[in-house]
Amino acid sequence: MILQHSTWSEIEAYLGRSRGVMIPIGSTEQHGPNGPIGTDAICAEAVARSAAADADILVGPTLAVTTAQFNLRFPGTISLRSTTLMAVVTDYVRSLAAQGFARFYFLNGHGANIAPLLAAFHDLHGEHAATAPHGLRCRLRSWWEYPDANALRQSLYGEWEGIHATPSEIAIAHHAVPATQRPAPTARPEKLTAASLREMGGDRHFDADHHRARFPDGRIGSDPALVGPTDGARLLAAAAAGARADYAAFLAEA
Ligand code: NI
């Protein structure tokens, strides 16, 4: 059930059955030589909608413009400041919480969203504790965290998964929106050590000039040429199954 495709009375009826909502959150930033700029938002939305397809799960509007200042030297990238993103998330949650929603499950496709969202959740949990103890819960999960999806991307791409413009996210985006398909680059990217990839996890990068000079074609240790024709469908199915199960567990918590 997609919020923007529903009427207000359908949402009111849904609230009689569930107080949960799943919210895709991605980014609008370069994704290397053959990944669409909307990759993160396309992936998060595809996983959420697939998870909700045969279940009574409401999917809220995708947050597609988030924090990505380190990619601003690549044309097309749009970035919110972290404090702006926190404010957007807070207002999104407050709007629906005032109508009776109480479980907010953010399905994430972009590492740099993690820190600001967790900070916003602390404030939201704190402000609601005063008026409705245990009445509001927020959770963030990135689609690649679900065990089956994570195992599959590791088995398909191993050390060439990298951490940005990854073969797994490009496989899902190209599968979900075929019009975004482009030929993969023929050259492998610079090989990065496991330690340096770990250090940059969650998009711990510096400024945009540094970032473009350091990663000239936009990839970070990833080789999208490894994507096979059925990878996108398999990764999407694995992530959607993981999301559906984790969302159900989230709603079932006391
Ligand atoms: Ni991405």
Side-chain angles (χ1 to χ4, degrees):
M1 185 173 177
I2 296 169
L3 186 144
Q4 288 178 304
H5 298 181
S6 307
T7 66
W8 70 264
S9 56
E10 288 165 356
I11 301 301
E12 191 165 75
Y14 173 87
L15 273 168
R17 310 189 298 273
S18 175
R19 297 192 173 275
V21 59
M22 187 180 277
I23 302 152
I25 179 166
S27 72
T28 299
E29 61 173 351
Q30 68 82 12
H31 269 76
N34 74 325
I37 288 170
T39 292
D40 293 347
I42 291 168
C43 289
E45 185 171 280
V47 172
R49 290 189 177 190
S50 182
D54 295 313
D56 194 20
I57 298 174
L58 181 67
V59 178
T62 300
L63 288 170
V65 178
T66 62
T67 57
Q69 63 79 16
F70 43 87
N71 273 320
L72 284 171
R73 288 295 168 269
F74 294 92
T77 297
I78 304 171
S79 181
L80 302 182
R81 285 164 288 160
S82 296
T83 47
T84 306
L85 177 60
M86 289 177 64
V88 168
V89 166
T90 299
D91 287 353
Y92 192 129
V93 169
R94 280 181 181 160
S95 298
L96 295 175
Q99 299 157 9
F101 285 91
R103 297 291 180 272
F104 296 86
Y105 189 96
F106 287 80
L107 205 156
N108 182 44
H110 176 57
N113 290 335
I114 296 171
L117 259 71
L118 295 184
F121 294 173
H122 280 301
D123 290 351
L124 283 161
H125 291 153
E127 77 183 38
H128 279 265
T131 51
H134 314 299
L136 185 138
R137 289 285 181 269
C138 301
R139 175 178 286 186
L140 177 78
R141 286 286 187 271
S142 301
W143 64 260
W144 56 84
E145 286 184 274
Y146 302 119
D148 288 350
N150 190 40
L152 181 56
R153 73 190 182 115
Q154 297 303 334
S155 75
L156 289 170
Y157 314 120
E159 62 186 349
W160 290 108
E161 168 75 343
I163 61 166
H164 184 65
T166 63
S168 62
E169 64 181 345
I170 289 171
I172 294 174
H174 282 177
H175 169 73
V177 185
T180 65
Q181 291 174 8
R182 303 285 187 278
T186 51
R188 286 221 139 136
E190 174 193 348
K191 181 92 171 75
L192 300 169
T193 65
S196 70
L197 291 173
R198 225 176 9 255
E199 181 58 32
M200 289 183 282
D203 285 330
R204 282 171 288 184
H205 304 307
F206 301 115
D207 61 273
D209 289 325
H210 173 270
H211 202 68
R212 180 153 180 174
R214 179 71 187 81
F215 303 105
D217 77 359
R219 290 182 283 175
I220 304 181
S222 67
D223 188 0
L226 298 176
V227 173
T230 62
D231 292 4
R234 293 175 65 200
L235 286 158
L236 177 57
R244 198 181 302 116
D246 191 55
Y247 178 79
F250 177 58
L251 292 194
E253 282 176 7

